[in-house]
Every structure is written in structure tokens, then in C-alpha cells.
Coordinates of all heavy atoms in Angstrom, one line a residue:
F73 N 4.6 -7.1 -5.2 CA 5.7 -7.9 -4.9 C 6.8 -7.2 -4.1 O 7.3 -7.8 -3.2 CB 6.3 -8.6 -6.2 CG 7.2 -9.7 -6.0 CD1 6.8 -11.0 -5.8 CD2 8.6 -9.5 -6.0 CE1 7.6 -12.0 -5.5 CE2 9.5 -10.5 -5.8 CZ 9.0 -11.8 -5.5
I74 N 7.1 -6.0 -4.5 CA 8.0 -5.2 -3.8 C 7.6 -4.9 -2.4 O 8.4 -5.0 -1.5 CB 8.3 -3.8 -4.6 CG1 9.1 -4.0 -5.8 CG2 9.0 -2.8 -3.6 CD1 9.2 -2.8 -6.7
E75 N 6.3 -4.5 -2.2 CA 5.8 -4.3 -0.9 C 5.9 -5.5 0.0 O 6.2 -5.4 1.2 CB 4.3 -3.8 -1.0 CG 3.7 -3.3 0.3 CD 4.3 -2.1 0.9 OE1 4.7 -1.2 0.1 OE2 4.4 -2.0 2.1
K76 N 5.7 -6.7 -0.5 CA 5.7 -7.9 0.3 C 7.2 -8.3 0.6 O 7.4 -9.0 1.6 CB 5.0 -9.0 -0.4 CG 3.5 -8.8 -0.4 CD 2.8 -9.9 -1.2 CE 1.3 -9.6 -1.4 NZ 0.7 -10.3 -2.4
N77 N 8.1 -8.0 -0.3 CA 9.4 -8.5 -0.2 C 10.6 -7.5 -0.1 O 11.7 -7.9 -0.2 CB 9.7 -9.4 -1.5 CG 8.8 -10.6 -1.6 OD1 8.9 -11.6 -0.9 ND2 7.8 -10.4 -2.4
Y78 N 10.2 -6.2 0.3 CA 11.3 -5.2 0.3 C 12.3 -5.6 1.4 O 13.5 -5.1 1.3 CB 10.6 -3.8 0.6 CG 10.1 -3.7 2.0 CD1 11.0 -3.2 3.0 CD2 8.9 -4.0 2.4 CE1 10.6 -3.1 4.3 CE2 8.4 -3.9 3.7 CZ 9.2 -3.4 4.7 OH 8.8 -3.3 5.9
A79 N 12.0 -6.3 2.4 CA 12.9 -6.7 3.4 C 14.0 -7.6 3.0 O 15.0 -7.8 3.7 CB 12.2 -7.2 4.7
D80 N 13.9 -8.2 1.8 CA 14.9 -9.1 1.3 C 16.0 -8.3 0.6 O 15.7 -7.7 -0.4 CB 14.2 -10.1 0.3 CG 15.2 -11.1 -0.3 OD1 16.4 -11.0 0.0 OD2 14.7 -12.0 -1.0
P81 N 17.2 -8.4 1.2 CA 18.2 -7.6 0.6 C 18.6 -8.0 -0.8 O 19.3 -7.3 -1.6 CB 19.4 -7.7 1.6 CG 19.1 -8.9 2.4 CD 17.6 -9.1 2.4
K82 N 18.2 -9.2 -1.2 CA 18.6 -9.7 -2.5 C 17.5 -9.3 -3.6 O 17.7 -9.6 -4.8 CB 18.7 -11.3 -2.5 CG 19.9 -11.7 -1.6 CD 19.9 -13.2 -1.6 CE 21.1 -13.6 -0.7 NZ 21.1 -15.0 -0.2
L83 N 16.5 -8.7 -3.2 CA 15.4 -8.3 -4.1 C 16.0 -7.3 -5.1 O 16.6 -6.3 -4.7 CB 14.2 -7.6 -3.4 CG 13.1 -7.2 -4.2 CD1 12.5 -8.4 -5.0 CD2 12.0 -6.5 -3.4
N84 N 15.9 -7.7 -6.4 CA 16.4 -6.8 -7.4 C 15.5 -6.9 -8.7 O 14.6 -7.6 -8.7 CB 17.9 -7.1 -7.7 CG 18.1 -8.5 -8.2 OD1 17.2 -9.1 -8.8 ND2 19.3 -9.0 -8.0
V85 N 15.9 -6.2 -9.7 CA 15.2 -6.1 -11.0 C 15.1 -7.5 -11.6 O 14.0 -7.9 -12.1 CB 15.9 -5.2 -12.0 CG1 15.2 -5.3 -13.3 CG2 15.8 -3.7 -11.4
D86 N 16.2 -8.4 -11.5 CA 16.1 -9.7 -12.1 C 15.1 -10.6 -11.4 O 14.4 -11.3 -12.1 CB 17.5 -10.4 -12.0 CG 18.5 -9.7 -12.9 OD1 18.2 -9.1 -13.9 OD2 19.8 -9.8 -12.5
I87 N 15.0 -10.5 -10.1 CA 14.0 -11.2 -9.4 C 12.6 -10.8 -9.8 O 11.7 -11.6 -10.0 CB 14.2 -11.2 -7.8 CG1 15.5 -11.9 -7.5 CG2 13.0 -11.7 -7.1 CD1 16.0 -11.7 -6.1
L88 N 12.4 -9.5 -9.8 CA 11.1 -9.0 -10.3 C 10.7 -9.4 -11.7 O 9.6 -9.7 -12.0 CB 11.1 -7.4 -10.2 CG 11.1 -6.9 -8.7 CD1 11.4 -5.4 -8.8 CD2 9.8 -7.1 -8.1
A89 N 11.7 -9.4 -12.6 CA 11.5 -9.8 -14.0 C 11.1 -11.2 -14.0 O 10.1 -11.6 -14.7 CB 12.7 -9.6 -14.8
D90 N 11.7 -12.1 -13.2 CA 11.3 -13.5 -13.2 C 9.9 -13.6 -12.7 O 9.2 -14.5 -13.2 CB 12.3 -14.3 -12.3 CG 13.6 -14.6 -12.9 OD1 13.8 -14.4 -14.2 OD2 14.6 -14.9 -12.2
H91 N 9.6 -12.8 -11.7 CA 8.3 -12.9 -11.1 C 7.1 -12.6 -12.1 O 6.1 -13.3 -12.1 CB 8.2 -12.0 -9.9 CG 6.8 -11.9 -9.2 ND1 6.3 -12.9 -8.5 CD2 5.9 -10.9 -9.3 CE1 5.1 -12.6 -8.1 NE2 4.8 -11.4 -8.6
V92 N 7.3 -11.6 -12.9 CA 6.3 -11.3 -13.8 C 6.5 -11.8 -15.2 O 5.6 -11.7 -16.1 CB 6.1 -9.7 -14.0 CG1 5.6 -9.1 -12.6 CG2 7.4 -9.0 -14.4
G93 N 7.6 -12.5 -15.4 CA 7.8 -13.2 -16.7 C 8.2 -12.3 -17.9 O 7.9 -12.6 -19.0
L94 N 8.9 -11.2 -17.5 CA 9.3 -10.3 -18.6 C 10.8 -10.1 -18.4 O 11.4 -10.4 -17.4 CB 8.6 -8.9 -18.5 CG 7.1 -8.9 -18.7 CD1 6.5 -7.5 -18.4 CD2 6.7 -9.3 -20.1
S95 N 11.5 -9.4 -19.4 CA 12.9 -9.2 -19.3 C 13.1 -8.0 -18.3 O 12.3 -7.2 -18.1 CB 13.5 -8.8 -20.6 OG 13.1 -7.5 -21.0
P96 N 14.3 -8.0 -17.7 CA 14.6 -6.9 -16.8 C 14.5 -5.5 -17.4 O 14.0 -4.6 -16.8 CB 16.1 -7.2 -16.3 CG 16.2 -8.7 -16.4 CD 15.3 -9.1 -17.6
S97 N 15.0 -5.4 -18.7 CA 15.0 -4.1 -19.3 C 13.6 -3.7 -19.6 O 13.2 -2.5 -19.5 CB 15.8 -4.1 -20.6 OG 15.3 -5.1 -21.5
H98 N 12.7 -4.7 -20.0 CA 11.3 -4.3 -20.2 C 10.6 -3.9 -19.0 O 9.8 -2.9 -19.0 CB 10.6 -5.5 -20.9 CG 9.2 -5.1 -21.4 ND1 9.0 -4.3 -22.5 CD2 8.0 -5.5 -21.0 CE1 7.7 -4.1 -22.7 NE2 7.1 -4.9 -21.8
I99 N 10.8 -4.6 -17.9 CA 10.0 -4.1 -16.7 C 10.6 -2.8 -16.2 O 9.8 -2.0 -15.7 CB 10.0 -5.1 -15.6 CG1 11.3 -5.4 -14.9 CG2 9.3 -6.4 -16.0 CD1 11.3 -6.1 -13.6
Q100 N 11.9 -2.5 -16.4 CA 12.4 -1.2 -16.0 C 11.8 -0.1 -16.8 O 11.4 0.9 -16.3 CB 13.9 -1.2 -16.1 CG 14.6 -2.1 -15.0 CD 16.1 -2.0 -15.1 OE1 16.7 -1.1 -14.5 NE2 16.7 -2.9 -15.9
S101 N 11.6 -0.4 -18.1 CA 11.0 0.6 -19.0 C 9.6 0.9 -18.6 O 9.2 2.1 -18.5 CB 11.1 0.1 -20.4 OG 10.5 1.0 -21.3
I102 N 8.8 -0.2 -18.5 CA 7.4 0.1 -18.2 C 7.2 0.7 -16.8 O 6.2 1.4 -16.5 CB 6.5 -1.2 -18.4 CG1 6.8 -2.3 -17.4 CG2 6.5 -1.6 -19.8 CD1 5.8 -3.5 -17.5
F103 N 8.0 0.3 -15.8 CA 7.9 0.8 -14.5 C 8.2 2.3 -14.5 O 7.5 3.1 -13.8 CB 8.9 0.0 -13.5 CG 8.7 0.3 -12.1 CD1 7.8 -0.4 -11.3 CD2 9.4 1.4 -11.4 CE1 7.6 -0.2 -10.0 CE2 9.2 1.6 -10.1 CZ 8.2 0.9 -9.4
K104 N 9.3 2.7 -15.1 CA 9.7 4.1 -15.2 C 8.6 4.9 -15.9 O 8.2 6.0 -15.4 CB 11.0 4.3 -15.9 CG 11.4 5.7 -16.1 CD 12.5 6.1 -15.1 CE 12.9 7.5 -15.3 NZ 14.0 7.9 -14.6
T105 N 8.0 4.4 -16.9 CA 6.9 5.1 -17.6 C 5.7 5.2 -16.7 O 5.1 6.3 -16.7 CB 6.5 4.3 -18.9 OG1 7.7 4.3 -19.8 CG2 5.4 5.0 -19.6
A106 N 5.3 4.2 -16.0 CA 4.2 4.2 -15.1 C 4.3 5.1 -13.8 O 3.4 5.7 -13.4 CB 3.8 2.8 -14.8
T107 N 5.6 5.0 -13.3 CA 5.7 5.6 -11.9 C 6.6 6.9 -12.0 O 6.7 7.6 -11.0 CB 6.4 4.6 -11.0 OG1 7.7 4.3 -11.4 CG2 5.5 3.4 -10.9
G108 N 7.4 7.1 -13.0 CA 8.4 8.2 -13.1 C 9.6 7.8 -12.3 O 10.5 8.7 -12.1
S109 N 9.8 6.7 -11.8 CA 10.9 6.3 -10.9 C 11.5 5.0 -11.5 O 10.8 4.2 -12.0 CB 10.4 6.1 -9.5 OG 11.5 5.6 -8.7
T110 N 12.8 4.8 -11.2 CA 13.4 3.6 -11.5 C 13.0 2.5 -10.4 O 12.6 2.9 -9.3 CB 14.9 3.6 -11.6 OG1 15.4 4.0 -10.3 CG2 15.4 4.6 -12.6
I111 N 13.1 1.3 -10.7 CA 12.7 0.2 -9.7 C 13.6 0.3 -8.5 O 13.2 0.3 -7.3 CB 12.8 -1.1 -10.3 CG1 11.6 -1.3 -11.3 CG2 12.7 -2.3 -9.2 CD1 11.6 -2.6 -12.1
S112 N 15.0 0.5 -8.8 CA 15.9 0.6 -7.6 C 15.7 1.8 -6.8 O 15.7 1.7 -5.5 CB 17.4 0.5 -8.1 OG 17.6 1.6 -9.0

């Protein structure tokens, strides 16, 4: 989703959370664990 939509300046954690159906804090946690990086 990030790769397809990075050009949208409004893309943020809330939009990603809505996209996958999880809370923003949960996707930030699993993203950081999986990639070693924050979403932002």
C-alpha cells in the first residue's frame, strides 16, 4: 500500500491502519518489529 500510494502527501499511519483494519498503534508496533523502522 505504501509503495502504491507514497505520492499522496496525506498518507499516514491512520490511513494505513484503516486499510488493514488494525489500530494505528498496533500496526506501528508490528511494522517496527518486522522492519526495524517506524512507518513514518
Side-chain angles (χ1 to χ4, degrees):
F73 193 82
I74 289 172
E75 186 67 35
K76 291 176 188 160
N77 296 285
Y78 73 90
D80 180 354
K82 294 179 182 163
L83 181 60
N84 63 26
V85 173
D86 292 332
I87 290 170
L88 290 167
D90 285 345
H91 175 71
V92 296
L94 298 172
S95 73
S97 61
H98 189 67
I99 69 162
Q100 289 182 88
S101 175
I102 64 172
F103 191 88
K104 176 100 180 192
T105 300
T107 67
S109 174
T110 64
I111 291 172
S112 59

